[in-house]
Amino acid sequence: MAEKLSAVKGMNDIAPPQSAHWEWLEATLRDLMARYGYRNIRTPIVEPTALFVRGLGEVTDIVEKEMYSFEDKLNGEHLTLRPENTAGVVRAALESNMLYDGPRRLYYMGPMFRHERPQRGRYRQFHQFGAEALGFAGPDVDAELIVLACDLWKALGLTGIELEINSLGQPAERLAHRKALIDYLESHAGLLDEDAKRRLHSNPLRILDTKNPAMQATVNAAPRLMDHLGADSLAHFERLKALLDAHGVAYRINPRLVRGMDYYNLSVFEFVTTQLGSQGTVCAGGRYDGLFEQIGGKPTPAVGWALGMERILELLKEQGRLPEAPVPDAYAVVPDAADLPRVMPVLRALREAGARVQMHAGGADGMGSMKSQFKKADASGARWALIFGGDELAQGQVALKPLRGERGDASAQVLLPLGDVATLAARVRPA
Protein backbone atom coordinates (compact mmCIF):
# COMPACT_ATOMS: atom_id res chain seq x y z
CA MET A 1 0.00 0.00 0.00
CA ALA A 2 1.30 3.47 -0.90
CA GLU A 3 2.35 5.78 1.91
CA LYS A 4 -0.45 8.04 3.10
CA LEU A 5 0.23 11.69 2.29
CA SER A 6 -0.85 14.64 4.42
CA ALA A 7 -1.17 18.37 3.84
CA VAL A 8 1.81 20.60 4.52
CA LYS A 9 1.87 21.74 8.14
CA GLY A 10 0.07 25.06 8.51
CA MET A 11 -1.70 24.74 5.15
CA ASN A 12 -5.29 23.67 5.66
CA ASP A 13 -8.09 22.19 3.59
CA ILE A 14 -11.40 24.07 3.62
CA ALA A 15 -14.31 21.69 3.13
CA PRO A 16 -18.08 21.79 3.76
CA PRO A 17 -19.67 23.00 5.94
CA GLN A 18 -16.85 25.49 6.70
CA SER A 19 -16.46 26.38 3.02
CA ALA A 20 -20.00 27.77 3.07
CA HIS A 21 -18.88 30.30 5.68
CA TRP A 22 -16.03 31.37 3.39
CA GLU A 23 -18.43 31.79 0.47
CA TRP A 24 -20.75 33.91 2.61
CA LEU A 25 -17.87 36.11 3.81
CA GLU A 26 -16.53 36.50 0.26
CA ALA A 27 -19.99 37.46 -1.03
CA THR A 28 -20.39 40.05 1.75
CA LEU A 29 -17.01 41.55 0.91
CA ARG A 30 -17.70 41.69 -2.83
CA ASP A 31 -21.05 43.39 -2.26
CA LEU A 32 -19.55 46.03 0.02
CA MET A 33 -16.69 46.73 -2.39
CA ALA A 34 -19.12 47.22 -5.26
CA ARG A 35 -21.07 49.76 -3.21
CA TYR A 36 -17.87 51.75 -2.61
CA GLY A 37 -16.75 51.56 -6.25
CA TYR A 38 -13.82 49.16 -5.77
CA ARG A 39 -13.12 46.65 -8.56
CA ASN A 40 -11.45 43.25 -8.41
CA ILE A 41 -7.82 42.59 -9.38
CA ARG A 42 -6.20 39.14 -9.46
CA THR A 43 -2.43 38.85 -9.42
CA PRO A 44 -0.15 35.77 -9.61
CA ILE A 45 0.63 33.79 -6.47
CA VAL A 46 4.30 33.66 -7.52
CA GLU A 47 6.24 36.90 -8.00
CA PRO A 48 9.92 37.84 -8.50
CA THR A 49 11.70 37.67 -5.13
CA ALA A 50 13.14 41.15 -5.75
CA LEU A 51 9.63 42.62 -5.66
CA PHE A 52 9.26 41.81 -1.97
CA VAL A 53 12.89 42.48 -1.01
CA ARG A 54 12.65 45.95 -2.55
CA GLY A 55 9.08 46.69 -1.58
CA LEU A 56 8.94 45.31 1.97
CA GLY A 57 12.55 46.03 2.94
CA GLU A 58 15.46 43.67 3.44
CA VAL A 59 15.44 44.00 7.23
CA THR A 60 11.90 42.84 7.92
CA ASP A 61 10.74 39.59 9.51
CA ILE A 62 8.93 38.64 6.31
CA VAL A 63 11.96 38.97 4.02
CA GLU A 64 14.53 37.72 6.53
CA LYS A 65 12.85 34.53 7.68
CA GLU A 66 9.25 34.03 6.51
CA MET A 67 9.22 34.00 2.70
CA TYR A 68 8.92 30.83 0.65
CA SER A 69 11.59 31.61 -1.96
CA PHE A 70 13.18 29.32 -4.53
CA GLU A 71 15.17 29.30 -7.74
CA ASP A 72 13.32 28.15 -10.86
CA LYS A 73 15.41 25.22 -12.09
CA LEU A 74 14.31 25.80 -15.69
CA ASN A 75 15.63 29.35 -16.08
CA GLY A 76 17.34 30.35 -12.84
CA GLU A 77 14.76 32.99 -11.88
CA HIS A 78 14.48 33.79 -8.17
CA LEU A 79 10.80 33.50 -7.25
CA THR A 80 8.69 33.79 -4.09
CA LEU A 81 5.22 32.70 -3.07
CA ARG A 82 3.57 36.01 -2.25
CA PRO A 83 3.67 36.81 1.50
CA GLU A 84 1.36 39.81 0.94
CA ASN A 85 -0.28 41.37 -2.10
CA THR A 86 0.12 45.15 -1.99
CA ALA A 87 3.48 44.96 -3.76
CA GLY A 88 1.95 42.66 -6.39
CA VAL A 89 -0.95 45.06 -7.02
CA VAL A 90 1.46 47.97 -7.46
CA ARG A 91 3.65 45.86 -9.78
CA ALA A 92 0.56 45.01 -11.86
CA ALA A 93 -0.51 48.68 -11.98
CA LEU A 94 2.93 49.73 -13.21
CA GLU A 95 3.30 46.92 -15.71
CA SER A 96 -0.05 47.62 -17.37
CA ASN A 97 0.11 51.43 -17.01
CA MET A 98 -3.17 51.07 -15.15
CA LEU A 99 -3.30 54.65 -13.88
CA TYR A 100 -2.86 56.31 -17.27
CA ASP A 101 -6.41 57.69 -17.14
CA GLY A 102 -6.68 58.40 -13.43
CA PRO A 103 -6.68 56.81 -9.96
CA ARG A 104 -8.06 53.32 -9.32
CA ARG A 105 -9.88 51.66 -6.44
CA LEU A 106 -9.10 47.94 -6.37
CA TYR A 107 -9.64 44.91 -4.16
CA TYR A 108 -8.21 41.39 -4.08
CA MET A 109 -8.61 38.16 -2.16
CA GLY A 110 -6.58 34.99 -2.10
CA PRO A 111 -3.89 32.88 -0.43
CA MET A 112 -0.62 34.28 0.94
CA PHE A 113 2.34 32.31 2.27
CA ARG A 114 4.68 32.85 5.23
CA HIS A 115 6.85 30.32 7.01
CA GLU A 116 5.67 30.86 10.57
CA ARG A 117 4.88 28.63 13.54
CA PRO A 118 1.25 27.62 12.96
CA GLN A 119 -1.14 28.71 15.70
CA ARG A 120 -4.66 30.00 16.10
CA GLY A 121 -5.22 32.73 13.51
CA ARG A 122 -1.74 32.34 12.00
CA TYR A 123 -1.01 29.81 9.27
CA ARG A 124 1.64 29.19 6.63
CA GLN A 125 -0.96 29.43 3.90
CA PHE A 126 -3.47 32.05 4.93
CA HIS A 127 -6.00 34.15 3.06
CA GLN A 128 -6.16 37.91 2.82
CA PHE A 129 -8.70 40.33 1.49
CA GLY A 130 -7.31 43.73 0.62
CA ALA A 131 -8.52 47.11 -0.62
CA GLU A 132 -6.08 49.41 -2.42
CA ALA A 133 -6.72 52.98 -3.60
CA LEU A 134 -4.00 53.98 -6.08
CA GLY A 135 -3.32 57.57 -7.15
CA PHE A 136 -5.18 59.34 -4.31
CA ALA A 137 -3.14 61.77 -2.21
CA GLY A 138 -5.63 63.26 0.26
CA PRO A 139 -6.71 61.98 3.69
CA ASP A 140 -10.28 61.68 2.41
CA VAL A 141 -9.49 58.29 0.85
CA ASP A 142 -7.60 57.23 4.01
CA ALA A 143 -10.83 57.95 5.88
CA GLU A 144 -12.95 56.25 3.22
CA LEU A 145 -11.03 53.00 3.61
CA ILE A 146 -11.32 53.11 7.40
CA VAL A 147 -15.07 53.79 7.20
CA LEU A 148 -15.40 50.99 4.64
CA ALA A 149 -13.85 48.57 7.16
CA CYS A 150 -16.23 49.84 9.86
CA ASP A 151 -19.15 49.18 7.50
CA LEU A 152 -17.84 45.65 7.02
CA TRP A 153 -17.89 44.94 10.77
CA LYS A 154 -21.48 46.22 10.81
CA ALA A 155 -22.48 44.05 7.83
CA LEU A 156 -20.98 40.99 9.51
CA GLY A 157 -22.51 41.81 12.89
CA LEU A 158 -19.11 41.95 14.60
CA THR A 159 -18.56 43.92 17.79
CA GLY A 160 -15.61 44.66 20.07
CA ILE A 161 -13.27 45.79 17.27
CA GLU A 162 -11.31 48.94 18.09
CA LEU A 163 -9.43 51.28 15.76
CA GLU A 164 -5.90 52.51 16.43
CA ILE A 165 -4.30 55.19 14.23
CA ASN A 166 -0.94 56.90 13.95
CA SER A 167 1.14 58.88 11.47
CA LEU A 168 4.58 57.81 10.27
CA GLY A 169 5.17 61.14 8.57
CA GLN A 170 7.48 61.42 5.57
CA PRO A 171 10.92 59.81 5.01
CA ALA A 172 12.91 62.89 6.07
CA GLU A 173 10.90 63.18 9.28
CA ARG A 174 11.35 59.50 10.01
CA LEU A 175 15.10 59.94 9.42
CA ALA A 176 15.29 62.63 12.11
CA HIS A 177 13.26 60.48 14.47
CA ARG A 178 15.39 57.45 13.60
CA LYS A 179 18.56 59.28 14.71
CA ALA A 180 16.96 60.37 17.98
CA LEU A 181 15.61 56.87 18.54
CA ILE A 182 18.97 55.18 17.92
CA ASP A 183 20.71 57.60 20.27
CA TYR A 184 18.12 56.89 22.96
CA LEU A 185 18.23 53.09 22.52
CA GLU A 186 22.02 53.05 22.50
CA SER A 187 21.96 54.82 25.84
CA HIS A 188 19.73 51.98 27.14
CA ALA A 189 21.52 49.13 25.36
CA GLY A 190 21.64 47.03 28.52
CA LEU A 191 17.83 46.83 28.55
CA LEU A 192 17.46 45.63 24.94
CA ASP A 193 16.83 42.01 24.00
CA GLU A 194 18.79 40.29 21.24
CA ASP A 195 16.15 41.02 18.57
CA ALA A 196 16.18 44.72 19.44
CA LYS A 197 19.97 44.84 19.35
CA ARG A 198 19.92 43.24 15.90
CA ARG A 199 17.44 45.83 14.63
CA LEU A 200 19.03 48.83 16.33
CA HIS A 201 20.79 50.22 13.26
CA SER A 202 18.80 48.46 10.52
CA ASN A 203 15.15 48.98 11.50
CA PRO A 204 14.88 50.67 14.91
CA LEU A 205 11.25 51.70 14.39
CA ARG A 206 10.22 48.05 14.66
CA ILE A 207 11.70 47.90 18.16
CA LEU A 208 8.82 50.10 19.30
CA ASP A 209 6.43 47.30 18.36
CA THR A 210 8.13 44.74 20.62
CA LYS A 211 5.96 42.31 22.57
CA ASN A 212 8.70 41.70 25.15
CA PRO A 213 7.25 42.75 28.58
CA ALA A 214 10.74 43.49 29.91
CA MET A 215 11.19 46.24 27.30
CA GLN A 216 7.84 48.00 27.63
CA ALA A 217 9.02 50.73 29.98
CA THR A 218 12.02 51.45 27.76
CA VAL A 219 10.03 51.78 24.54
CA ASN A 220 7.27 53.77 26.26
CA ALA A 221 9.84 56.44 27.14
CA ALA A 222 11.44 56.47 23.67
CA PRO A 223 11.29 59.58 21.43
CA ARG A 224 7.96 59.79 19.64
CA LEU A 225 7.77 60.02 15.88
CA MET A 226 4.79 62.38 16.21
CA ASP A 227 7.09 64.97 17.79
CA HIS A 228 9.24 65.00 14.64
CA LEU A 229 6.44 65.50 12.10
CA GLY A 230 6.38 68.63 9.96
CA ALA A 231 3.41 70.89 9.29
CA ASP A 232 2.16 69.03 6.19
CA SER A 233 2.26 65.61 7.87
CA LEU A 234 0.47 66.95 10.94
CA ALA A 235 -2.15 68.65 8.76
CA HIS A 236 -2.79 65.35 6.90
CA PHE A 237 -3.26 63.56 10.22
CA GLU A 238 -5.53 66.26 11.63
CA ARG A 239 -7.73 66.18 8.53
CA LEU A 240 -7.97 62.39 8.80
CA LYS A 241 -9.07 62.67 12.43
CA ALA A 242 -11.63 65.33 11.53
CA LEU A 243 -13.14 63.11 8.83
CA LEU A 244 -13.33 60.13 11.19
CA ASP A 245 -14.98 62.36 13.80
CA ALA A 246 -17.52 63.48 11.19
CA HIS A 247 -18.39 59.82 10.54
CA GLY A 248 -18.67 59.07 14.24
CA VAL A 249 -15.80 56.57 14.05
CA ALA A 250 -14.14 56.05 17.42
CA TYR A 251 -10.36 55.70 17.41
CA ARG A 252 -7.35 55.69 19.68
CA ILE A 253 -4.04 57.33 18.75
CA ASN A 254 -1.26 54.81 19.31
CA PRO A 255 2.14 56.53 18.91
CA ARG A 256 3.85 53.11 18.93
CA LEU A 257 1.82 51.82 16.01
CA VAL A 258 4.14 51.00 13.11
CA ARG A 259 3.80 48.68 10.14
CA GLY A 260 6.03 45.73 9.33
CA MET A 261 6.72 46.82 5.75
CA ASP A 262 9.09 49.63 4.82
CA TYR A 263 6.79 51.20 2.25
CA TYR A 264 4.36 52.94 4.64
CA ASN A 265 4.21 56.72 5.28
CA LEU A 266 1.75 59.17 6.85
CA SER A 267 -1.47 57.42 7.96
CA VAL A 268 -1.26 53.93 9.46
CA PHE A 269 -4.06 52.11 11.26
CA GLU A 270 -5.09 48.79 12.77
CA PHE A 271 -8.39 47.27 13.82
CA VAL A 272 -7.80 45.14 16.91
CA THR A 273 -9.78 42.84 19.19
CA THR A 274 -9.11 41.20 22.54
CA GLN A 275 -11.14 38.11 21.63
CA LEU A 276 -8.52 36.24 19.58
CA GLY A 277 -5.69 35.96 22.08
CA SER A 278 -2.28 37.08 20.85
CA GLN A 279 -3.47 37.40 17.23
CA GLY A 280 -5.53 40.49 17.98
CA THR A 281 -5.07 42.45 14.71
CA VAL A 282 -7.90 41.67 12.28
CA CYS A 283 -7.30 44.41 9.70
CA ALA A 284 -4.36 46.76 9.13
CA GLY A 285 -3.10 49.21 6.58
CA GLY A 286 -2.06 52.72 5.78
CA ARG A 287 -0.58 55.02 3.18
CA TYR A 288 2.36 53.89 1.04
CA ASP A 289 3.21 56.79 -1.28
CA GLY A 290 6.78 55.57 -1.85
CA LEU A 291 6.12 52.02 -3.01
CA PHE A 292 5.64 52.81 -6.71
CA GLU A 293 9.05 54.47 -6.82
CA GLN A 294 10.70 51.65 -4.85
CA ILE A 295 9.78 49.11 -7.50
CA GLY A 296 10.64 51.20 -10.53
CA GLY A 297 7.75 53.59 -11.12
CA LYS A 298 7.11 57.29 -10.72
CA PRO A 299 6.13 58.63 -7.26
CA THR A 300 2.44 57.82 -6.85
CA PRO A 301 0.23 58.26 -3.76
CA ALA A 302 -1.58 55.15 -2.55
CA VAL A 303 -3.34 53.80 0.52
CA GLY A 304 -4.88 50.46 1.44
CA TRP A 305 -5.59 47.78 4.01
CA ALA A 306 -5.71 44.02 4.28
CA LEU A 307 -7.57 41.69 6.60
CA GLY A 308 -6.94 38.07 7.50
CA MET A 309 -9.95 36.03 6.44
CA GLU A 310 -9.20 33.18 8.86
CA ARG A 311 -9.12 35.65 11.74
CA ILE A 312 -12.40 37.26 10.70
CA LEU A 313 -14.05 33.83 10.50
CA GLU A 314 -12.58 32.90 13.88
CA LEU A 315 -13.99 36.11 15.37
CA LEU A 316 -17.38 35.47 13.76
CA LYS A 317 -17.36 32.01 15.33
CA GLU A 318 -16.33 33.45 18.70
CA GLN A 319 -19.25 35.89 18.62
CA GLY A 320 -21.77 33.37 17.27
CA ARG A 321 -22.24 35.29 14.03
CA LEU A 322 -21.59 32.56 11.48
CA PRO A 323 -24.63 31.77 9.30
CA GLU A 324 -26.18 28.34 9.07
CA ALA A 325 -24.69 26.20 6.33
CA PRO A 326 -26.96 26.12 3.23
CA VAL A 327 -29.18 23.08 2.80
CA PRO A 328 -31.29 21.81 -0.10
CA ASP A 329 -34.87 23.01 -0.39
CA ALA A 330 -35.95 19.48 -1.28
CA TYR A 331 -34.56 15.96 -1.39
CA ALA A 332 -35.74 13.67 -4.18
CA VAL A 333 -36.64 10.16 -3.02
CA VAL A 334 -36.65 7.73 -5.97
CA PRO A 335 -37.54 4.13 -5.01
CA ASP A 336 -36.87 2.60 -8.43
CA ALA A 337 -33.78 3.40 -10.55
CA ALA A 338 -35.81 2.55 -13.64
CA ASP A 339 -37.78 5.77 -13.09
CA LEU A 340 -34.70 8.02 -13.15
CA PRO A 341 -35.00 8.93 -16.88
CA ARG A 342 -38.39 10.41 -16.10
CA VAL A 343 -37.45 11.95 -12.75
CA MET A 344 -34.15 13.65 -13.56
CA PRO A 345 -35.57 16.09 -16.18
CA VAL A 346 -38.14 17.22 -13.58
CA LEU A 347 -35.39 17.86 -11.03
CA ARG A 348 -33.40 19.80 -13.60
CA ALA A 349 -36.43 21.95 -14.42
CA LEU A 350 -36.95 22.65 -10.71
CA ARG A 351 -33.34 23.79 -10.38
CA GLU A 352 -33.73 26.04 -13.41
CA ALA A 353 -36.75 27.55 -11.64
CA GLY A 354 -34.55 28.42 -8.67
CA ALA A 355 -35.17 25.49 -6.31
CA ARG A 356 -32.24 23.71 -4.65
CA VAL A 357 -32.92 20.02 -5.11
CA GLN A 358 -30.67 17.12 -4.12
CA MET A 359 -31.32 13.75 -5.71
CA HIS A 360 -30.77 10.49 -3.90
CA ALA A 361 -28.04 8.53 -5.65
CA GLY A 362 -28.10 4.77 -5.52
CA GLY A 363 -25.33 2.24 -5.58
CA ALA A 364 -24.47 -0.78 -7.67
CA ASP A 365 -27.27 -2.74 -6.01
CA GLY A 366 -30.02 -0.19 -6.62
CA MET A 367 -31.47 2.90 -4.97
CA GLY A 368 -31.78 1.48 -1.46
CA SER A 369 -34.86 1.18 0.74
CA MET A 370 -37.35 3.97 1.29
CA LYS A 371 -36.33 4.02 4.95
CA SER A 372 -32.66 4.59 4.13
CA GLN A 373 -33.57 7.25 1.56
CA PHE A 374 -35.71 9.14 4.06
CA LYS A 375 -32.92 8.91 6.61
CA LYS A 376 -30.56 10.57 4.14
CA ALA A 377 -33.22 13.11 3.18
CA ASP A 378 -33.57 14.08 6.84
CA ALA A 379 -29.79 14.28 7.30
CA SER A 380 -29.49 16.60 4.29
CA GLY A 381 -31.37 19.33 6.17
CA ALA A 382 -33.94 19.72 3.38
CA ARG A 383 -37.36 21.05 4.33
CA TRP A 384 -39.21 18.82 1.88
CA ALA A 385 -39.04 15.36 0.39
CA LEU A 386 -40.13 14.89 -3.22
CA ILE A 387 -41.30 11.27 -3.47
CA PHE A 388 -41.26 9.84 -6.99
CA GLY A 389 -42.96 6.51 -6.21
CA GLY A 390 -44.27 4.16 -8.85
CA ASP A 391 -47.94 4.86 -7.99
CA GLU A 392 -47.40 8.63 -8.06
CA LEU A 393 -45.57 8.55 -11.36
CA ALA A 394 -48.27 6.34 -12.90
CA GLN A 395 -50.74 9.15 -12.18
CA GLY A 396 -48.37 11.86 -13.40
CA GLN A 397 -47.84 13.14 -9.88
CA VAL A 398 -45.18 13.59 -7.22
CA ALA A 399 -45.71 13.45 -3.46
CA LEU A 400 -44.50 16.46 -1.48
CA LYS A 401 -43.80 15.61 2.16
CA PRO A 402 -42.55 18.06 4.83
CA LEU A 403 -39.42 16.98 6.69
CA ARG A 404 -39.37 19.87 9.16
CA GLY A 405 -42.05 21.07 11.56
CA GLU A 406 -44.94 18.93 10.33
CA ARG A 407 -43.20 15.56 10.06
CA GLY A 408 -45.69 13.81 12.34
CA ASP A 409 -48.72 14.95 10.36
CA ALA A 410 -49.39 12.43 7.57
CA SER A 411 -52.11 14.68 6.16
CA ALA A 412 -49.43 17.29 5.44
CA GLN A 413 -48.24 15.20 2.48
CA VAL A 414 -49.79 16.39 -0.79
CA LEU A 415 -49.79 15.23 -4.39
CA LEU A 416 -48.92 17.70 -7.11
CA PRO A 417 -48.87 17.41 -10.92
CA LEU A 418 -45.49 16.25 -12.18
CA GLY A 419 -45.51 18.74 -15.04
CA ASP A 420 -46.42 21.79 -12.95
CA VAL A 421 -42.84 22.81 -12.25
CA ALA A 422 -43.75 26.38 -11.33
CA THR A 423 -46.07 25.26 -8.54
CA LEU A 424 -43.59 22.67 -7.30
CA ALA A 425 -40.73 25.17 -7.23
CA ALA A 426 -42.89 27.77 -5.46
CA ARG A 427 -43.86 25.21 -2.78
CA VAL A 428 -40.36 24.01 -1.95
CA ARG A 429 -38.49 27.32 -2.10
CA PRO A 430 -38.19 29.22 1.21
CA ALA A 431 -40.72 32.04 1.64
Side-chain angles (χ1 to χ4, degrees):
M1 183 180 294
E3 179 186 358
K4 183 180 179 181
L5 298 175
S6 301
V8 176
K9 185 177 181 181
M11 299 186 181
N12 304 315
D13 301 310
I14 302 170
Q18 288 77 20
S19 57
H21 299 150
W22 284 77
E23 291 176 328
W24 168 75
L25 175 57
E26 291 163 1
T28 303
L29 286 161
R30 288 191 183 99
D31 177 69
L32 185 60
M33 288 294 137
R35 284 189 269 135
Y36 269 81
Y38 284 71
R39 299 178 65 183
N40 184 230
I41 182 171
R42 307 184 186 204
T43 61
I45 289 175
V46 177
E47 295 274 10
T49 299
L51 174 66
F52 303 112
V53 174
R54 246 195 277 174
L56 278 61
E58 291 189 48
V59 190
T60 58
D61 284 345
I62 294 174
V63 171
E64 286 185 323
K65 56 188 178 183
E66 295 175 2
M67 295 201 313
Y68 283 95
S69 299
F70 58 96
E71 182 178 329
D72 189 330
K73 294 180 181 179
L74 295 178
N75 57 18
E77 285 184 298
H78 292 277
L79 305 174
T80 293
L81 294 177
R82 62 186 184 192
E84 61 91 50
N85 206 32
T86 299
V89 169
V90 170
R91 191 267 313 145
L94 283 172
E95 194 167 341
S96 64
N97 195 25
M98 192 181 296
L99 307 186
Y100 78 96
D101 60 347
R104 294 293 183 104
R105 289 175 168 90
L106 305 169
Y107 75 86
Y108 62 84
M109 70 173 77
M112 312 293 159
F113 303 86
R114 297 184 193 177
H115 194 280
E116 300 183 285
R117 182 171 62 86
Q119 54 187 292
R120 182 190 186 192
R122 186 184 290 270
Y123 306 100
R124 290 177 177 172
Q125 176 177 306
F126 59 100
H127 297 76
Q128 281 189 344
F129 183 98
E132 312 288 358
L134 310 180
F136 299 93
D140 51 336
V141 179
D142 303 22
E144 175 186 87
L145 279 162
I146 291 173
V147 172
L148 192 162
C150 292
D151 284 349
L152 175 60
W153 314 144
K154 184 177 180 181
L156 297 174
L158 288 172
T159 58
I161 298 177
E162 297 183 345
L163 170 65
E164 295 183 349
I165 64 173
N166 192 23
S167 176
L168 299 182
Q170 298 292 8
E173 295 157 357
R174 286 204 303 278
L175 196 61
H177 171 252
R178 173 192 170 93
K179 184 180 183 308
L181 182 59
I182 290 175
D183 290 344
Y184 167 81
L185 293 172
E186 283 182 334
S187 69
H188 295 78
L191 302 175
L192 303 183
D193 59 21
E194 290 304 313
D195 190 55
K197 290 176 181 177
R198 182 177 61 84
R199 294 183 184 275
L200 182 55
H201 292 281
S202 59
N203 197 354
L205 200 61
R206 291 293 292 157
I207 298 175
L208 301 180
D209 200 30
T210 180
K211 301 299 188 291
N212 185 346
M215 288 180 54
Q216 295 306 307
T218 303
V219 297
N220 284 340
R224 300 193 326 157
L225 175 56
M226 192 70 70
D227 296 333
H228 291 77
L229 298 188
D232 289 344
S233 294
L234 288 171
H236 186 103
F237 194 53
E238 290 301 318
R239 290 200 299 273
L240 171 61
K241 291 192 296 180
L243 288 167
L244 296 179
D245 291 339
H247 281 282
V249 174
Y251 56 86
R252 177 172 59 252
I253 298 174
N254 179 359
R256 289 173 52 194
L257 176 60
V258 296
R259 304 295 308 128
M261 288 73 153
D262 284 357
Y263 51 60
Y264 284 103
N265 71 304
L266 292 175
S267 311
V268 289
F269 51 86
E270 288 188 1
F271 288 91
V272 297
T273 179
T274 59
Q275 298 177 39
L276 293 178
S278 61
Q279 307 304 322
T281 301
V282 294
C283 176
R287 181 161 285 282
Y288 50 94
D289 295 344
L291 182 56
F292 276 79
E293 194 172 10
Q294 282 178 238
I295 60 176
K298 297 177 181 179
T300 303
V303 60
W305 55 246
L307 60 81
M309 297 181 72
E310 283 88 350
R311 292 188 190 179
I312 296 298
L313 288 164
E314 188 71 27
L315 189 58
L316 286 162
K317 180 181 178 182
E318 190 77 19
Q319 297 188 9
R321 295 291 184 177
L322 287 173
E324 294 290 330
V327 297
D329 297 323
Y331 190 99
V333 174
V334 188
D336 190 346
D339 292 323
L340 286 174
R342 189 175 180 190
V343 170
M344 292 180 73
V346 176
L347 302 184
R348 185 178 183 186
L350 284 170
R351 292 167 187 142
E352 290 176 347
R356 296 175 297 184
V357 184
Q358 181 176 331
M359 185 188 75
H360 178 77
D365 55 351
M367 299 297 287
S369 67
M370 289 282 281
K371 182 178 180 180
S372 68
Q373 290 197 42
F374 269 106
K375 187 175 180 180
K376 291 183 178 179
D378 192 51
S380 75
R383 294 173 58 247
W384 302 92
L386 290 166
I387 307 168
F388 294 89
D391 292 341
E392 289 88 356
L393 289 174
Q395 301 173 47
Q397 296 178 318
V398 57
L400 182 63
K401 181 180 179 64
L403 297 174
R404 301 285 180 270
E406 303 172 74
R407 268 182 290 180
D409 184 1
S411 64
Q413 179 172 313
V414 297
L415 292 172
L416 294 171
L418 197 62
D420 192 352
V421 171
T423 299
L424 272 174
R427 289 291 297 268
V428 302
R429 283 199 306 260

